[in-house]
Amino acid sequence: MWNFAIKLLRYMSHIHNISSKTLDLKTIYTIVAEQQKLALSDESVEKIKNCRTYLDEKLKNQEDPIYGINTGFGSLYNVKITKDNLTKLQENLVMSHACGVGEKVPKNIVKLMLLLKIQSLNYGHSGVQMDTVNRLVDFYNNDILPVVFTQGSLGASGDLAPLAHLALPLIGKGEVYFEDAIYDAETILSKFNWQPIKLRSKEGLALLNGTQFMSAYGVDLLLESYKLSYLADLIGSVSLDAFDGRIEPFNELVHLVRPHNGQLQTAERIREFLDGSELIQQKKKHVQDPYSFRCMPQVHGATKDTLAFVEKTFITEINSVTDNPNVFVAEDEIISGGNFHGQPLALALDYLKIAMAELGNISERRIFQLVSGLRELPTFLVDNPGLNSGFMIPQYTAASIVSANKQLASPASIDSIVSSNGQEDHVSMGANAATQAYRLVANIKSILAIELFNASQAISFRRPLKSSEFIEAFLNAYSAQVHFVSDDRELYKDIEASKQFIEYLAIDIDELYG
C-alpha cells in the first residue's frame, strides 16, 4: 500500500539492526522501501540470551507453578505441567490456537507482523531462545511469510489466533508464502535445510501473546492515511480552484487565533498549492464558499491531529513488550500481567476510522457541489446534459462509499465478549477495528479518486485561466491517464485509472509530516 518517494542511496544492501532504539514510522517505511534485511544487534543477542539462561536456571529448582511456563493456559492456569512435557505444552499451544478464518492477511502486513514480533522479543523480557528469534529473522529476510487469517483475534490475551498462524511454520506446521506461491511450511524448511524449532518453556506464549496483528495493521494504515491526508489537501485545492473558490479562509491570521496544529498545517499546504493560481486570484462574484471548501483546514486538520495521536499510541506499542508473563532478570521476578491487552490500540484504531471517514465525507460534499451546475459550471460537468448523464453517477458511487464508511466507523472497542470460561472476561476487539479500518481507508482512496476525476473535468471548463504551476503539473500528469469526458462512456474505467494514479503517485515521505 505504500508508494511514497524516498531519497535512497542504495537498495538491497542496507541492513537494519534490531535494537532498543525506537522504531518509528519513517524507519519502518525505509526498511520496507529499501527492502532492508534484519539483523540482531549485539545488545539484543545479549538480552535474549541472558533472559533465556535466567529462565532455564529458575526452572531447575522451581516447583511452584508459574503461569504459562509450567501451567496450562487461560482458565487452565491451575493445571501444573511436568518438566518433561514443557516442549509439548508450547507446541500444543501454537497448534491449538491456530484457528483463524476469513480472508488471508495481505503479505505486506504479515511481513510487518514478523518485524514487530522480532522487535518485541528483542528486549529480553520474553524468555525465548536465540534459535527462535533467529528463525523469525530468517523468515523475514527470505520473504517466507506465514499464511495468516483476518478473523479470530479478540484483541486481548494478544492476537492469539493470527499470531499462532505466524508461529506455526517455526515448528514445521501451517503454510507460508514463498516466491508468489503457497507451500506447506515443512516443504520450505526442507528447502532451506532448516530443522523445526523445538520450543522451550514459555516460548509458545511469547509468540502468541502480543499485539503484532493489530500493530502491523496500524502501522500500515498510518502510512497510508498520511498519504491520503496529503492528497485530500491537494485534491481539495484543485476542487476549490475548479469551483472558483476564495482563498481568504486559508489566510494564516484566521488559523493563528485557533491554532490547532493540523488546522494550521492544512491551511498552509493549501496556500502553497494554490500559490500563483490565476483562478484563485480572479475577482469573485460570491462572498463565501460552502463549508466543504471553506472549512478544509478545520476538517482535514482535525484528521491530521488524530493521526498524530494514533501514531503516538502505535509507536509506544511497537517499542514495547506485549507478551505474558514478563521476565525481569535483574529484579529476579517473573510477573503475570496484561500487556497483551489491545485496548489502547482498539481505541486508537476506532479514532483513526472516524477521522479518515470524515476525509471521505467532506470530499463527497465537494464532488456534489462540482456537479450541481453552480458557478457557471455545466450540470454534471458535461456538455449537452440530458443527452449525456456525465458525472451524475460517480457522485452516487462516492455517496454509497461514504455511507459504507459510516458503518465501518462504528467503534469496535465498545464491544467485548467473555472467553476462556470467564477468565478472559474483557477483550478489546482491536483486531476487528484493524480490519475495519483497512477497508475504510481503502474506501477513502476511491472517494478521493472520484473527487480528482470530477475536479480535473471541472477545471477544464475554466480555461484559458490556469491554476498554480504545481497544480497544473499535477493535472497534466493525471490527464495523461484519465482524459477529459466529452460524451458519456464507461466511467468505471476512468475511476479505476484515477485510483491507480493515486496508488502509484510518488510523494516524498518528508512532505507527509511537513
Side-chain angles (χ1 to χ4, degrees), residues 66-69 125-126 202 205 323-327 334-337:
I66 305 174
Y67 174 73
I69 295 176
H125 294 292
S126 301
K202 171 67 170 69
L205 268 187
D323 63 291
N324 178 64
N326 301 135
V327 181
I334 301 174
I335 304 173
S336 181

Side-chain angles (χ1 to χ4, degrees), residues 330-348:
E331 295 81 3
D332 189 23
E333 293 274 9
I334 301 174
I335 304 173
S336 181
N339 280 352
F340 48 65
H341 201 294
Q343 193 72 8
L345 305 187
L347 293 173

